[in-house]
Amino acid sequence: MADDTEISLSTVKSFLTGKPVDYLNFVELSKKLGLDWQDIAYKEPQTQPSKPQPTNGEASPFITGAPITQPRYFFGRDKELKRLFNLLKRHPLQNAAIIGKKRSGKTSLLHYLKNITTTPAEQLRPEQKSDWLPYPENYCWIFVDLQDARMQSREKLLKYILESLKMQVPTPCDLDRFMQVVSDNLHSPTVILLDEISVGLERCPELDDGFWECLRSLATNHTAGNLAFVLATPESPMEMAHNTGHSSPFFNIFGYTAYLGALTEKEARELIASSPIPFTNEDVEWILRKSCCWPLLLQILCRERLFNLEEGENDDNWREEGLRQMKPFTHLLDS
Ligand SMILES: Nc1ncnc2c1ncn2[C@@H]1O[C@H](COP(=O)(O)OP(=O)(O)OP(=O)(O)O)[C@@H](O)[C@H]1O
Ligand SMILES: [Mg+2]
């Protein structure tokens, strides 16, 4: 078959064993076998599947671009997780802010907080810690992405929060009625994760000072310490409020701030070691050096290295390609 199609033997082998091959090769080899490539191609799902993919080399474990939503693909941040869960595991629950540059891993960390304590062990990596909270099943987590247009209308956002809490939605769903329903019914620990909060402040006139003050008063006075906010932003919440012309009471309730930097070297090595085909020491050291342990850059370089190994190409061309792919994100490397 390799002779007939003039496609390399290693690519034909990869094709026949279900490993990724280039699109054009895939189409041509399918045609050769009289098959419609669309019928036999494995198409990457939009987000990571809730069931882990087999790690026998069929699916790449390296995710670049979309936030990590499945805990098994998330690495590191141990120090931040310890601090954050400490604020959330006792009464009163306390608020926290996560500050990090663009593409540093803020959204991934919010998803991880929400999911790690209730993900079944068989969907985690063997050594992954998940017992951060004494009674994780009592917690309600609400993820709010303020970039999502539906969250930018006050009424829709309030409805979404009530629905997530499984509470009755009043009509009309205005601030007063929302406050009433929540303060009457919220009796178990609840964490509202606010992502892209600066978008909320800059672009959503309906999310005005009155709205934020109401959230503050809910958390501090009306829910017996059961409600906390964790927000993610590229700059400090107080400054952000100031720069967008908001008064700051809501934004000064964030007692703890986690600054997201690079991973520690140990954490970065764990991410690299998750490759289904192990890398040589020399490759590992090169990836650590060039990425400075930033998770996105690690993922990009690992993806390139793995792709090259899977293609059976044993040269160093992947390094050049990796650096090229890293380029749009090298702002992470500026101190
Ligand atoms: N803890 C992590 N473990 C593994 N990969 C990570 C981790 N955190 C971030 N990444 C990588 O970084 C990429 C960007 O992560 P994420 O979208 O969470 O960043 P962000 O700070 O929310 O970005 P943006 O500023 O664009 O909203 C992910 O696609 C993933 O490749
Ligand atoms: Mg994000």
Side-chain angles (χ1 to χ4, degrees):
M1 203 161 145
D3 284 346
D4 282 355
T5 52
E6 289 182 27
I7 292 173
S8 79
L9 187 58
S10 69
T11 304
V12 174
K13 276 188 185 155
S14 295
F15 175 83
L16 292 173
T17 50
K19 292 184 184 136
V21 301
D22 276 348
Y23 167 72
L24 287 175
N25 290 338
F26 193 93
V27 172
E28 171 140 23
L29 289 167
S30 308
K31 207 166 103 197
K32 187 85 198 154
L33 292 174
L35 297 166
D36 181 352
W37 74 270
Q38 301 259 23
D39 292 341
I40 59 170
Y42 167 74
K43 303 202 187 72
E44 202 80 79
Q46 282 290 306
T47 50
Q48 298 103 52
S50 60
K51 285 250 169 65
Q53 292 290 301
T55 45
N56 54 7
E58 285 175 23
S60 169
F62 299 118
I63 296 163
T64 58
I68 309 284
T69 55
Q70 296 306 311
R72 64 179 288 115
Y73 300 116
F74 182 96
F75 289 83
R77 305 287 183 220
D78 281 358
K79 189 180 85 208
E80 291 84 1
L81 288 165
K82 199 178 276 174
R83 292 298 301 270
L84 291 166
F85 277 116
N86 246 329
L87 298 171
L88 300 174
K89 74 180 184 196
R90 303 193 187 92
H91 269 95
L93 272 65
Q94 295 177 60
N95 310 297
I98 296 169
I99 300 187
K101 293 184 191 173
K102 273 200 137 324
R103 314 268 64 207
S104 57
K106 303 178 293 294
T107 306
S108 302
L109 180 55
L110 292 182
H111 282 296
Y112 196 71
L113 284 172
K114 176 171 187 277
N115 297 327
I116 181 61
T117 57
T118 52
T119 301
E122 67 272 15
Q123 292 179 26
L124 298 174
R125 298 191 304 275
E127 79 291 2
Q128 222 171 342
K129 179 175 169 64
S130 64
D131 59 347
W132 294 101
L133 295 171
Y135 301 102
E137 61 286 355
N138 291 347
Y139 280 68
C140 178
W141 301 87
I142 306 176
F143 184 90
V144 179
D145 177 5
L146 287 160
Q147 227 164 14
D148 180 340
R150 287 166 304 176
M151 302 295 167
Q152 298 177 357
S153 129
R154 181 193 281 198
E155 184 166 353
K156 285 191 187 143
L157 175 52
L158 297 179
K159 267 189 187 161
Y160 169 77
I161 294 175
L162 289 175
E163 279 161 6
S164 308
L165 289 166
K166 303 195 171 59
M167 291 178 189
Q168 192 110 42
V169 178
T171 22
C173 189
D174 57 23
L175 265 182
D176 285 345
R177 291 186 175 83
F178 170 84
M179 287 280 282
Q180 196 62 50
V181 174
V182 176
S183 42
D184 288 349
N185 297 291
L186 194 142
H187 305 300
S188 49
T190 300
V191 184
I192 301 186
L193 306 158
L194 297 169
D195 198 12
E196 296 290 346
I197 183 119
S198 45
V199 175
L201 292 182
E202 279 162 17
R203 294 197 223 141
C204 316
E206 290 190 18
L207 308 184
D208 56 10
D209 283 356
F211 171 83
W212 296 113
E213 271 153 34
C214 162
L215 290 191
R216 172 191 159 110
S217 127
L218 255 191
T220 46
N221 302 323
H222 297 286
T223 44
N226 273 313
L227 176 64
F229 294 92
V230 177
L231 60 78
T233 147
E235 49 181 337
S236 112
M238 293 278 283
E239 269 172 41
M240 194 172 54
H242 181 76
N243 295 341
T244 51
H246 286 75
S247 73
S248 49
F250 176 72
F251 298 94
N252 64 23
I253 60 175
F254 295 88
Y256 171 70
T257 304
Y259 294 92
L260 288 194
L263 302 186
T264 65
E265 186 183 318
K266 181 168 169 277
E267 294 168 345
R269 284 182 189 278
E270 281 171 29
L271 192 159
I272 300 173
S274 71
S275 172
I277 307 178
F279 301 162
T280 63
N281 283 343
E282 195 204 329
D283 286 340
V284 172
E285 297 306 318
W286 188 86
I287 292 173
L288 286 173
R289 207 164 56 243
K290 293 293 173 184
S291 66
C292 292
C293 299
W294 281 95
L296 176 60
L297 308 184
L298 285 163
Q299 297 266 16
I300 291 174
L301 298 180
C302 287
R303 179 196 65 192
E304 290 306 320
R305 182 56 184 130
L306 179 61
F307 181 74
N308 170 281
L309 282 170
E310 283 175 342
E311 286 295 284
E313 290 163 21
N314 229 336
D315 52 41
D316 271 349
N317 294 347
W318 67 274
R319 292 192 180 184
E320 206 182 308
E321 184 58 25
L323 293 177
R324 196 164 33 238
Q325 299 288 336
M326 236 175 71
K327 253 225 169 101
F329 311 109
T330 43
H331 66 276
L332 288 167
L333 302 174
D334 306 338
S335 54

